[in-house]
Amino acid sequence: MILQPFQAALFDLDGVLVDSEELANRVWVELLAEHRLTLDRALFMRRAVGSTHAALFDWLRAEYGWERSQDFLPELDARLARALQATPAIEGAADTLRALRHSGLPFAVASNSLRARLHLKLEAAGLARLVG
């Protein structure tokens, strides 16, 4: 077996480079409670990690019969934007990205997050300048 050297690296964002999932899920659970749906944070976290907003809304409708109000999504977006400004980097992420930049190996970041949230998380975690 001949091992080929890597030609590039692709990183997932949440849980790999930054730790924003707990922040985002806290916002969701608190806002859902304000909209008459109380959920256990651990349960929501298990369901939400790696999911999309659309999939979460489908799950909440199917499992709990909950329908979002017209003001839910704008409020969620605003609260997420505020909360995600405190996104921490995963330990070692900055060192890894610096080493890759120094090595010349191309790399990119992929995410299920909206592009604006991806940039917000990278900026808050101090990683934006290493990725851009």
Side-chain angles (χ1 to χ4, degrees), residues 70-99:
Q70 200 170 12
D71 63 332
F72 185 86
L73 195 53
E75 183 62 24
L76 178 65
D77 287 340
R79 289 187 190 192
L80 285 172
R82 286 191 301 271
L84 294 175
Q85 291 176 5
T87 301
I90 297 288
E91 185 177 341
D95 293 337
T96 300
L97 295 176
R98 274 192 287 276

Side-chain angles (χ1 to χ4, degrees), residues 23-85:
L23 294 169
N25 288 315
R26 183 178 304 126
V27 168
W28 269 90
V29 170
E30 289 171 0
L31 187 56
L32 285 168
E34 292 172 24
H35 286 256
R36 298 181 309 280
L37 180 60
T38 302
L39 294 176
D40 176 74
R41 191 176 291 164
L43 166 71
F44 188 83
M45 181 80 149
R46 283 191 304 275
R47 186 62 181 199
V49 171
S51 191
T52 63
H53 285 187
L56 288 173
F57 288 132
D58 289 345
W59 168 66
L60 293 169
R61 184 180 312 105
E63 188 74 21
Y64 301 98
W66 183 83
E67 294 286 341
R68 67 180 178 182
S69 63
Q70 200 170 12
D71 63 332
F72 185 86
L73 195 53
E75 183 62 24
L76 178 65
D77 287 340
R79 289 187 190 192
L80 285 172
R82 286 191 301 271
L84 294 175
Q85 291 176 5

